[in-house]
Amino acid sequence: MSERVALVTGGSRGIGRGIVLALARAGWTTVVNYHSAAQAAKEVAAEVNALGAKAAVVQADVGSAADRERLVQAALDLGPLELLVNNAGMAPRQRADLLQMSESSYDEVMNVNLRGPFFLTQRVAHAMIQQVQAGAGGAPTIINIGSVSAYASSTNRGEYCISKAGVAMMTALFADRLAEYGINVYEIRPGIIATDMTSVVQEKYDRMIDEGLTPIRRWGIPDDVARAVLAIAKGDFPFSTGEVFNVDGGFHLRRL
Ligand code: NAP
């Protein structure tokens, strides 16, 4: 099992870190990608090693074509790539009202959250198709970490919402295109998860959860998402592709 290789973008912190550790516990070798937090990524790799699994730490900006190529090469050096988790993502640096959003913030968020993952997936898909045709490794899987923001409007971070709506269609498109090769593609759609990304709005979300925003009245934790990744990575959904797994405490339910 330990030769199964997974690439997790943004594996240094938050949800990505949780995914890396869950995969490591199940014996996967992981590529822990990060952008700036080198020390955090090293610590995740050390935790992986302490669990008896292997990890390679790779700095790369998912928004850069040259970095993506280097990242994929580093993963392929470890063996057939059986799992890609497109997790890296960012909120806008400044929450600005939709009527004031800048073009630079729009471009940055779309590049990291959608354009980068799209072209990373396209690159990895070619490698996975070759592996399948060569009979190397098991059936590859791709998991995109989307968000409830794909459908829930937040007018002070519209670029984030648009990027996650794009991730939903990206999942559908690759699921459709790659099915003939036995490569299934899924979206996990987290709700409110306690990480650095949400720490800036902790009080607001504390209050909203207390008031019943979600039927399950608690914050999600990275491990909630990681457990869903693991369930999919085990290969127990062979006749499902393009599926969206809501990991959101029931946020998506319409209620009366
Ligand atoms: P986080 O704590 O802010 O961590 C973000 C991770 O992404 C870090 O590992 C970061 O690397 C990496 N990253 C950011 N920009 C990158 C880039 N250009 N290239 C490569 N890596 C980059 O965020 P999180 O809450 O764990 O979010 C993870 C994913 O879940 C994101 O796609 C986010 O949109 C999604 N999500 C989060 C929530 C939530 O409530 N937290 C809800 C729904 C969806 P460094 O450590 O090097 O900065």
Side-chain angles (χ1 to χ4, degrees):
M1 182 90 184
S2 66
E3 71 279 7
R4 302 191 77 189
V5 178
L7 167 54
V8 181
T9 65
S12 48
R13 293 185 289 118
I15 292 171
R17 172 180 172 275
I19 292 169
V20 166
L21 294 178
L23 289 169
R25 273 184 225 108
W28 286 74
T29 293
T30 46
V31 177
V32 181
N33 158 247
Y34 72 98
H35 180 223
S36 329
Q39 186 55 32
K42 267 173 65 180
E43 284 167 17
V44 172
E47 287 180 85
V48 166
N49 295 154
L51 291 165
K54 289 187 241 162
V57 173
V58 182
Q59 191 284 332
D61 177 354
V62 295
S64 150
D67 283 16
R68 287 193 299 270
E69 185 56 34
R70 197 166 39 74
L71 177 60
V72 173
Q73 284 303 334
L76 295 175
D77 284 349
L78 299 175
L81 183 54
E82 292 193 29
L83 176 65
L84 167 65
V85 184
N86 280 307
N87 164 78
M90 66 180 294
R93 289 177 197 275
Q94 281 183 336
R95 290 182 172 228
D97 181 80
L98 201 65
L99 300 181
Q100 267 75 47
M101 185 208 299
S102 67
E103 290 199 27
S104 61
S105 179
Y106 181 94
D107 288 346
E108 182 180 34
V109 171
M110 292 295 279
N111 192 41
V112 171
N113 290 5
L114 181 58
R115 188 175 180 279
F118 177 86
F119 286 104
L120 179 64
T121 303
Q122 186 194 62
R123 173 66 183 84
V124 166
H126 283 288
M128 286 177 165
I129 290 168
Q130 271 188 3
Q131 286 170 203
V132 169
Q133 289 173 340
T141 302
I142 297 170
I143 300 174
N144 299 320
I145 306 300
S147 171
V148 294
S149 296
Y151 60 84
S153 157
S154 298
T155 55
N156 62 354
R157 50 188 179 107
E159 60 276 66
Y160 182 82
C161 299
I162 295 169
S163 72
K164 292 299 183 178
V167 168
M169 178 47 82
M170 174 184 140
T171 302
L173 286 165
F174 278 113
D176 184 6
R177 185 65 184 83
L178 298 178
E180 68 179 282
Y181 304 102
I183 303 168
N184 287 354
V185 184
Y186 305 92
E187 177 185 343
I188 293 177
R189 193 171 282 177
I192 299 173
I193 312 292
T195 67
D196 292 342
M197 187 181 277
T198 44
S199 61
V200 287
V201 281
Q202 188 190 334
E203 279 174 27
K204 176 185 166 192
Y205 287 163
D206 275 348
R207 195 177 58 247
M208 292 172 88
I209 292 167
D210 265 3
E211 289 169 1
L213 177 72
T214 50
I216 301 174
R217 289 196 189 190
R218 67 164 173 87
W219 282 73
I221 57 171
D223 196 48
D224 289 316
V225 180
R227 287 167 70 170
V229 169
L230 208 59
I232 296 170
K234 273 174 65 187
D236 282 346
F237 303 99
F239 196 50
S240 305
T241 193
E243 207 57 52
V244 178
F245 291 78
N246 292 290
V247 181
D248 64 355
F251 176 89
H252 67 283
L253 298 170
R254 285 168 184 251
R255 294 185 287 159
L256 268 178

